[in-house]
C-alpha cells in the first residue's frame, strides 16, 4: 500500500479524501464543470467534434502549467495539472466503484485524462482541415493492430515525465498502470500493424488523413497454450470499455444486403428490399509525435433499429426469432476473419468487407459534400479525396462508389467510372497469383445484386480495352488475355463481344485468286467457283490446312468467380507492391498482363515501421545510446540519422554501452517469460526468436527440428563437450495458428512438447531452453524484440526470375550465394523492427529482407539453403523419387517418432516431409532440402556469438542499416506519388 496524503495522494484502498467535501481540486472542477456545461448547452451541436469539448479537456489549464519551448510555445501540463485531471476522471467519469483507486481504475482515469488532451488537438486538427478544405487520404483496412495506446499517446504528446511523476504521487507506477491496458483486438498480423504504423506516421508528418476499419468485439481470438497445444477463446478487450474511443451515435449510415434491383420512376436503378442494418461510428484519436496534429481512426460497429426486435415473438416465447435480426447485424463485427469453410462463414466475411466499404464511402462523400457547400462539383472529387485499399479486402469500394455516384448523385456511367478510377488506389500484399482473393459470383449476386451489375459493366469495359489493344486477328492471344485479366472468371462473354469474336467451326486455308489473274500467270487448272457471278476461281489445293475454332465458352464444371485483385487493378489509378523484390514480382508475374497494358499504374512502396513505438518507446535504453552517439534526438523523426552509427561501430565505449542496454532488455525479457510461461531462463544465453503467424511456409517446423537436432547432439555428449560445442540458447516462439489450420496447430503442439522435455532435462540446464509465448501481440513484441539477439526469418517460396531481382541490388554474382528459397513473403515488417533494435537475422532473401541485407551489409546477415535457380529442378527431382534426404534429417525425424517428446503421434507432421507427391506430402516447403544448410548456418551463428566484439558490431550495423525502414519515409512516398496530398501543419 502506498502512503496516504490528503493533499496529493489517492489511496489505493480508500477515496474518502477524494470526495467533494474534502478535496479542493474536486470542488473547483465541479464548479468549472457547471459553468462550462452551461456554455456548451447554449451552442448548437453539429456533426464535427469541435463543439464536443467536455469540461475535462480544460482541466489542464486549471492548475500550474509550463510552456515548453521545444513544443512551439504549446502549454504543457505539469504533474499537478495531471493529478487534477486524473482525480477528476476517477470521480466524475467512473467505471469503477468509488471506494478504491487500484490499478484498473488508475488506468482508466489516466487514459481518460490523456484523451482530454488528444481531443483538444483532435478538434483543432479537424477544424483546420475543414477550414482549408485540402485533399485528404482515407486508408481502408480490415485490420489495425494498434497495441496499447497509453504509453504511445503520452510519448507522442511528450508528457511521459509529467504522467510518471503524477502517478507516483498518486501511489502508482506508470508502467504498472500501462500494463492494465489490453491490446486492442482489431488485427492479427503484419497487415494490421502496417496500417497502425502508417496512421502514426500520417499524424506525425501532419498529413490530412483518416483511417477506416471495423470495431471487432472479440478480435481474432485469444490464444491459450495447454497440454493439448493451442486453444482459442474470444478476446475480452471491450469488456471493461475502451477509454480511447468516442461513440458517434449521430454518425451512422444504412447498409443493405440481398434484395433486388428495379428501375425507378425516373429511370434510375433502385436496390430495394432485402436486409437492412446500420453502421455506427466509433472514433479513436491518433496523435502525432511532437505535433498537435491528431488524426482519426473511425471504426464501424453494426446494429439494427429497435423496431427490428420482434416483441411479439419474444413475449410468445420464441426468443431466437425475436432477436434474429439483431444478432445478424451484430455478428458482422464480432470476429476478425471468421472461418469461411461454410457458406455462412463466406457470407459473413463478405458482409464485413461490404460494411467497411459502404459505411466509409458514405462518410467520405458526406464530408466532401459538406466541405464543398454550394460549389459542389463531382469532377473535383478526386482532387479532394484519395482512397487507399490495404489489400483486396476493401475492393468493394470500387462498385460501391460507382453505385452511390450513379444511383444517388445522378452521374452517368462514364463520369462515375472516370471519378472512381482517379480516386482509388490498391496496395498488393500477395506474391502468388493463385492466392489472390476471389468470391463466388452466385454469392455476390445474392448478397449484393446491384454491385454485380456494376462489376459486369467494369468487366465489359476491360474486355473492350483488351480487344482494342490486341485486336481480333490472333484470337488465341485474345483468349489468353481475357482468361488472365477479366474481373469475372469463367463467366460467359457479353453477347456483343461474342458477335465480334465468333468464327466458323473450321476455316480451310486455300488460295483464292481471280480467274483472269490465274490465266495471265499461266497457273494450273482451276475449277469453277460455286458463286453465281463466277468472279473467283479456287485452286485445287494439294493440302488443306484447318485452323481449329477458338471458343470462348465458360466451363460448366468450374465455379463462376469474381477476381477482386483484378477489379482493384482495373478500378484504381495506382497499384503498389510493398518491397522492391515484391513489386518486381507484381509487375512480372502476378499482374504481368496488366503491367504490359498500364505500366504507369505500377509502383513500389517498401513497407516501414514507426520508430517511435519500435525503438524510442519500447527500447528506452537503446534510444538513449542512439541519441548520445548521433548527438541529437532528431533520429526519432529522421531515421537517416541512424546511419551515423556506422562511424562508431568499432568504438569500444559504444560497444560496451550497447551490450549493457541489451543486457537490461534481456533481463526484462527473462521476467516476462517467467510471468507468461513459468519458465526461468538465463540472460547469459543467446536469445533466438521467431515470432510470426504459425504457417507451414513460415517454416517454424524447420526451426524446431533444428532445435531437436541440437538437443539430440547435446544428449550424446558429456557435460564438458556440450559446453565446448554449444553456445547457450533460449529459443523463443510466438504466433497464432488459424483456428481451422490443423497442420499449423500440430506445429504449435510440437514446439510446446519439445519445450516441456528440454526445459526439464537436468543434463541440459541453461544450455538450451525452448519457450512458446502464448497470445503473441504488439505488447509481447515490445518486450521480445528489444531483448532478442537473433531473429529467424526463414520463410519459403519458389519464385523464378530472381537473378533479375538481385541485379537490382548489384548482386551480379548472386548464383554462388547460399540463399534460402525466397519470395513468398511480400515484405514483412517484423524483420525491420528486429533490425532497428540491433537484432541479427538468419533467413532468406525474401520480401524486405533483400533490402535489409543490402543496408546492414552481407556479412551481418546469415543466409542458408537451396539456391533459387534450383527450385524447379528440386521439385521435379522430388516428384520422380530421386530426392535423397540428408542422413541428419532422417535422424531427427526418427528421434521425434521415438516418443522422446511425449505420447503425441507426430506421424502426420513428420509424414508431410516425406513422399514424392500428394496433398500434405512431399515436403512442399523444402524443409528437408534446407535442413543440412540450416543447421550448418546455425553453427556459424554460434561461432559469431562467441566473439562478442564482432557480434556487437554486427548488432550496431543492423540498427544503422535500418534507417531506410521508417514508415515516415514510406508515407512520404505514398503522399507524393499516389495520393498527391501535402502536409497541413496546424497554426
Amino acid at each position: 500500500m502506498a502512503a496516504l496524503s490528503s493533499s496529493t495522494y489517492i489511496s489505493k484502498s480508500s477515496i474518502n479524501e477524494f470526495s467533494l467535501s474534502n478535496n479542493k481540486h474536486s470542488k473547483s472542477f465541479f464548479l468549472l464543470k457547471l459553468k462550462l456545461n452551461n456554455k456548451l448547452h447554449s451552442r448548437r451541436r453539429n456533426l464535427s467534434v469541435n463543439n464536443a469539448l467536455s469540461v475535462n479537456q480544460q482541466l489542464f489549464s486549471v492548475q500550474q502549467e509550463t510552456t515548453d519551448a521545444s513544443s512551439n510555445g504549446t502549454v504543457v501540463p505539469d504533474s499537478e495539472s495531471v493529478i487534477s485531471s486524473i482525480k477528476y476522471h476517477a470521480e466524475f467519469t467512473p467505471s469503477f466503484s468509488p471506494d478504491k483507486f487500484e490499478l484498473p481504475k488508475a488506468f482508466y482515469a489516466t487514459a481518460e485524462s490523456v484523451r482530454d488532451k488528444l481531443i483538444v488537438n483532435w478538434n483543432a486538427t479537424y477544424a483546420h482541415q475543414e477550414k482549408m478544405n485540402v485533399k485528404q487520404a482515407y486508408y481502408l483496412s480490415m485490420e489495425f493492430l494498434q497495441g496499447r495506446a497509453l504509453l504511445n499517446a503520452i510519448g507522442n504528446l511528450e508528457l511521459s515525465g509529467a504522467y510518471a511523476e503524477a502517478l507516483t504521487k498518486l501511489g502508482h507506477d506508470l508502467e504498472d498502470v500501462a500494463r492494465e491496458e489490453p491490446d486492442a483486438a482489431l488485427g492479427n498480423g503484419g497487415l494490421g500493424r502496417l496500417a497502425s504504423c502508417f496512421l502514426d506516421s500520417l499524424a506525425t508528418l501532419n498529413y490530412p488523413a483518416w483511417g477506416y476499419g471495423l470495431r471487432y468485439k472479440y478480435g481474432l481470438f485469444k490464444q491459450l497454450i495447454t497440454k493439448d497445444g493451442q486453444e482459442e477463446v474470444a478476446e475480452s478487450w471491450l469488456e471493461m470499455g475502451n477509454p480511447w474511443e468516442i461513440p458517434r451515435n449521430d454518425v451512422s449510415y444504412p447498409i443493405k444486403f440481398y434484395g433486388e434491383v428495379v428501375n425507378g420512376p425516373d429511370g434510375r436503378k433502385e436496390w430495394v428490399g432485402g436486409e437492412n442494418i446500420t453502421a455506427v461510428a466509433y472514433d479513436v484519436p491518433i496523435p502525432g509525435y511532437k505535433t498537435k496534429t491528431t488524426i482519426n481512426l473511425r471504426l464501424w460497429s453494426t446494429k439494427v433499429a429497435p423496431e427490428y426486435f420482434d416483441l411479439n415473438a419474444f413475449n410468445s416465447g420464441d426468443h431466437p426469432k425475436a432477436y434474429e435480426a439483431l444478432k445478424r447485424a451484430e455478428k458482422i463485427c464480432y470476429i476478425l476473419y471468421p472461418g469461411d469453410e461454410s457458406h455462412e462463414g463466406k457470407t459473413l466475411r463478405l458482409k464485413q468487407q461490404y460494411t467497411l466499404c459502404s459505411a466509409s464511402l458514405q462518410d467520405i462523400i458526406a464530408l466532401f459534400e459538406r466541405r464543398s457547400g454550394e460549389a459542389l462539383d463531382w469532377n473535383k472529387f478526386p482532387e479532394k479525396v484519395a482512397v487507399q485499399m490495404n489489400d483486396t479486402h476493401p475492393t468493394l469500394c470500387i462498385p460501391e462508389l460507382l453505385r452511390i455516384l450513379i444511383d444517388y448523385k445522378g452521374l452517368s456511367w462514364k463520369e462515375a467510372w472516370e471519378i472512381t478510377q482517379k480516386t482509388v488506389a490498391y496496395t498488393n500484399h500477395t506474391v502468388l497469383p493463385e492466392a489472390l482473393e476471389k468470391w463466388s459470383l452466385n454469392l455476390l449476386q445474392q448478397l449484393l445484386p446491384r454491385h454485380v451489375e456494376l462489376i459486369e459493366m467494369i468487366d465489359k469495359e476491360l474486355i473492350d480495352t483488351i480487344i482494342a489493344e490486341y485486336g481480333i486477328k490472333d484470337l488465341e492471344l485474345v483468349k489468353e488475355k481475357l482468361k488472365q485479366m477479366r474481373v469475372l472468371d469463367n463467366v460467359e462473354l457479353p453477347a456483343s463481344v461474342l458477335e465480334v469474336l465468333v468464327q466458323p467451326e473450321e476455316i480451310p486455308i486455300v488460295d483464292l485468286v481471280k480467274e483472269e489473274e490465274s490465266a495471265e500467270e499461266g497457273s494450273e487448272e482451276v475449277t469453277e467457283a460455286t458463286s453465281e457471278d463466277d468472279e473467283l476461281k479456287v485452286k485445287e489445293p494439294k493440302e488443306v490446312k484447318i485452323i481449329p475454332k477458338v471458343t470462348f465458352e465458360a466451363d460448366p464444371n468450374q465455379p463462376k468467380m469474381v477476381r477482386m485483385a483484378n477489379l482493384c487493378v482495373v478500378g484504381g489509378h495506382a497499384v503498389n507492391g510493398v518491397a522492391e523484390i515484391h513489386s518486381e514480382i507484381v509487375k512480372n508475374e502476378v499482374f504481368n498482363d496488366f503491367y504490359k497494358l498500364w505500366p504507369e499504374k505500377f509502383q513500389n512502396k517498401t513497407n516501414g515501421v514507426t520508430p517511435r513505438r519500435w525503438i524510442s518507446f519500447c527500447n528506452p535504453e537503446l534510444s538513449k545510446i542512439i541519441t548520445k552517439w548521433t548527438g541529437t534526438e532528431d533520429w526519432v523523426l529522421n531515421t537517416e540519422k541512424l546511419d551515423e552509427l556506422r562511424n562508431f561501430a568499432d568504438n569500444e565505449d559504444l560497444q560496451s554501452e550497447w551490450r549493457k542496454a541489451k543486457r537490461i532488455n534481456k533481463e526484462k525479457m527473462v521476467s516476462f517469460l517467467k510471468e507468461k510461461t513459468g519458465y526461468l531462463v538465463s540472460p547469459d544465453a543467446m536469445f533466438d526468436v521467431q515470432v510470426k503467424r504459425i504457417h507451414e511456409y513460415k517454416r517454424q517446423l524447420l526451426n524446431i527440428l533444428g532445435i531437436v537436432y541440437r538437443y539430440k547432439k547435446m544428449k550424446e555428449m558429456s557435460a564438458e563437450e556440450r559446453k565446448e560445442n554449444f553456445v547457450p540458447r533460449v529459443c523463443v516462439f510466438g504466433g497464432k495458428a488459424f483456428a481451422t489450420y490443423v497442420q499449423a496447430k500440430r506445429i504449435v503442439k510440437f514446439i510446446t512438447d519439445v519445450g516441456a522435455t528440454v526445459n526439464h532435462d537436468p543434463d541440459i540446464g541453461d544450455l538450451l531452453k525452448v519457450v512458446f509465448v502464448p497470445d503473441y501481440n504488439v505488447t509481447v513484441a515490445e518486450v521480445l524484440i528489444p531483448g532478442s539477439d537473433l531473429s529467424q526469418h526463414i520463410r519459403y517460396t519458389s519464385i523464378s526470375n530472381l537473378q533479375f531481382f538481385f541485379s537490382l541490388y548489384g548482386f551480379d554474382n548472386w548464383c554462388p550465394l547460399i540463399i534460402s528459397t525466397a519470395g513468398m513473403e511480400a515484405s514483412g515488417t517484423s524483420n525491420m523492427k528486429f533490425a532497428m533494435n540491433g537484432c541479427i537475422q538468419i533467413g532468406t532473401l525474401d520480401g524486405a529482407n533483400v533490402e535489409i541485407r543490402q543496408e546492414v551489409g552481407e556479412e551481418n546477415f546469415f543466409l542458408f539453403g537451396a539456391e533459387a535457380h534450383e527450385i524447379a529442378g528440386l521439385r521435379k527431382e522430388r516428384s520422380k523419387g530421386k530426392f535423397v534426404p540428408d542422413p541428419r534429417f532422417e535422424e531427427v525425424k526418427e528421434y521425434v517418432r521415438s516418443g522422446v517428446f511425449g505420447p503425441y503421434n507426430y506421424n502426420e507432421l513428420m509424414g508431410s516431409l516425406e513422399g514424392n507427391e500428394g496433398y500434405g506430402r512431399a515436403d512442399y516447403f523444402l524443409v528437408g532440402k534446407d535442413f543440412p544448410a540450416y543447421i550448418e548456418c546455425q553453427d556459424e551463428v554460434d561461432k559469431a556469438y562467441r566473439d562478442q566484439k564482432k557480434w556487437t558490431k554486427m548488432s550496431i550495423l543492423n540498427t544503422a542499416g535500418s534507417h531506410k525502414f521508417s514508415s515516415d519515409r514510406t508515407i512520404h512516398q505514398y503522399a507524393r506519388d499516389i495520393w498527391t496530398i501535402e502536409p497541413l501543419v496546424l497554426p
Side-chain angles (χ1 to χ4, degrees), residues 829-870:
T829 54
S830 65
N831 46 9
M832 300 173 183
K833 297 161 195 163
F834 279 102
M836 279 185 172
N837 285 271
C839 183
I840 299 157
Q841 299 184 40
I842 178 173
T844 74
L845 287 180
D846 188 22
N849 279 1
V850 176
E851 294 159 80
I852 290 174
R853 181 173 179 268
Q854 181 193 23
E855 294 300 326
V856 305
E858 295 179 14
E859 67 280 8
N860 302 309
F861 191 110
F862 293 100
L863 292 168
F864 70 94
E867 295 179 20
H869 66 277
E870 296 179 313

Side-chain angles (χ1 to χ4, degrees), residues 435-459:
L436 296 172
E437 187 177 25
K438 298 180 182 179
W439 282 105
S440 162
L441 179 61
N442 291 334
L443 175 58
L444 266 169
Q445 181 71 58
Q446 295 169 15
L447 197 68
L448 304 169
R450 177 58 176 141
H451 296 75
V452 169
E453 291 184 348
L454 294 165
I455 290 171
E456 289 172 345
M457 295 176 72
I458 295 170
D459 190 57

Side-chain angles (χ1 to χ4, degrees), residues 213-232:
L214 296 181
R215 181 179 178 266
Y216 303 106
K217 185 174 183 180
Y218 301 117
L220 183 70
F221 60 81
K222 183 175 182 179
Q223 181 191 53
L224 305 178
I225 299 298
T226 70
K227 61 181 179 60
D228 298 317
Q230 172 182 295
E231 293 185 9
E232 306 88 24

Side-chain angles (χ1 to χ4, degrees), residues 637-795:
L637 287 169
N638 178 17
T639 52
E640 292 293 334
K641 294 280 186 181
L642 294 175
D643 197 45
E644 296 177 11
L645 292 171
R646 295 183 193 274
N647 301 327
F648 311 106
D650 290 306
N651 186 287
E652 292 184 3
D653 291 336
L654 173 58
Q655 289 197 2
S656 176
E657 294 173 20
W658 202 269
R659 284 191 289 269
K660 288 177 182 176
K662 179 63 72 173
R663 177 73 182 201
I664 292 170
N665 288 322
K666 292 175 77 169
E667 288 173 350
K668 290 179 181 178
M669 190 169 161
V670 168
S671 300
F672 179 83
L673 294 177
K674 174 66 175 175
E675 176 188 349
K676 294 296 181 181
T677 70
Y679 290 129
L680 181 62
V681 301
S682 170
D684 296 323
M686 178 201 300
F687 282 12
D688 175 354
V689 177
Q690 187 181 18
V691 282
K692 49 187 79 257
R693 176 166 49 98
I694 308 298
H695 195 289
E696 287 170 277
Y697 95 83
K698 301 283 190 180
R699 301 210 295 185
Q700 287 93 349
L701 188 54
L702 176 60
N703 185 355
I704 190 62
L705 286 176
I707 292 168
V708 169
Y709 183 80
R710 189 182 187 90
Y711 175 66
K712 183 177 186 296
K713 295 295 110 178
M714 285 181 174
K715 293 292 287 182
E716 294 170 355
M717 296 178 181
S718 66
E720 292 75 16
E721 289 173 325
R722 290 184 201 119
K723 290 181 180 179
E724 182 179 346
N725 285 278
F726 293 101
V727 167
R729 283 208 198 195
V730 176
C731 301
V732 179
F733 293 82
K736 295 179 179 180
F738 194 68
T740 57
Y741 189 177
V742 175
Q743 193 74 323
K745 295 178 78 170
R746 287 187 183 126
I747 293 172
V748 174
K749 168 66 174 167
F750 183 35
I751 293 169
T752 57
D753 281 353
V754 171
T757 300
V758 171
N759 298 346
H760 294 98
D761 190 329
D763 293 338
I764 303 303
D766 286 337
L767 270 179
L768 184 62
K769 299 291 184 184
V770 182
V771 182
F772 192 102
V773 182
D775 206 37
Y776 181 70
N777 57 23
V778 174
T779 296
V780 175
E782 289 171 346
V783 178
L784 299 188
I785 291 174
S788 300
D789 294 302
L790 180 73
S791 178
Q792 304 218 22
H793 300 272
I794 56 177
R795 53 206 172 217

Side-chain angles (χ1 to χ4, degrees), residues 428-439:
N428 172 270
H429 292 273
T430 306
V431 297
L432 298 179
E434 60 268 26
L436 296 172
E437 187 177 25
K438 298 180 182 179
W439 282 105

